[in-house]
Amino acid sequence: RVRLGGLDPADFIVEICQGREENGELRKFEVVPMKRSKRLGDGVYSYEGAIRPKTGGSYSYGVRVRPAHPDLADEHEVGLVRWA
């Protein structure tokens, strides 16, 4: 679930970020986009996605929400971030 308030969900990408842990470091980092599944109301949207590790071992993962708009210079520009 992501609370975007009055912001347009089309301006964001929700991703699962995962990587294999080797000797205390994150290796073989992979990003998997999630799909918006439904609007829950009050600016809250539900997203879903799946990851499948290719090998055994210790993995770390997290979910990130980032701006995605054609007017941004690159995917890491924070021009649309809203601070609480």
Side-chain angles (χ1 to χ4, degrees), residues 20-27 58:
R20 185 169 179 186
E21 289 186 33
E22 295 177 6
N23 299 322
E25 293 186 21
L26 202 56
R27 303 279 186 197
S58 179

Side-chain angles (χ1 to χ4, degrees), residues 1-2 9 12-17 31-40 44-52 61-65:
R1 293 181 184 167
V2 178
F12 295 90
I13 292 177
V14 180
E15 302 167 318
I16 302 170
C17 303
V31 177
V32 178
M34 298 178 75
K35 291 184 180 181
R36 188 172 61 240
S37 58
K38 59 183 156 179
R39 182 178 182 188
L40 301 174
V44 179
Y45 297 83
S46 176
Y47 289 79
E48 52 187 49
I51 54 176
R52 292 185 187 208
Y61 68 92
V63 175
R64 73 178 176 191
V65 179

Side-chain angles (χ1 to χ4, degrees), residues 61-84:
Y61 68 92
V63 175
R64 73 178 176 191
V65 179
R66 64 175 180 84
H69 191 275
D71 292 340
L72 296 176
D74 68 31
E75 67 183 35
H76 299 291
E77 184 178 339
V78 292
L80 295 177
V81 169
R82 182 178 135 197
W83 299 96

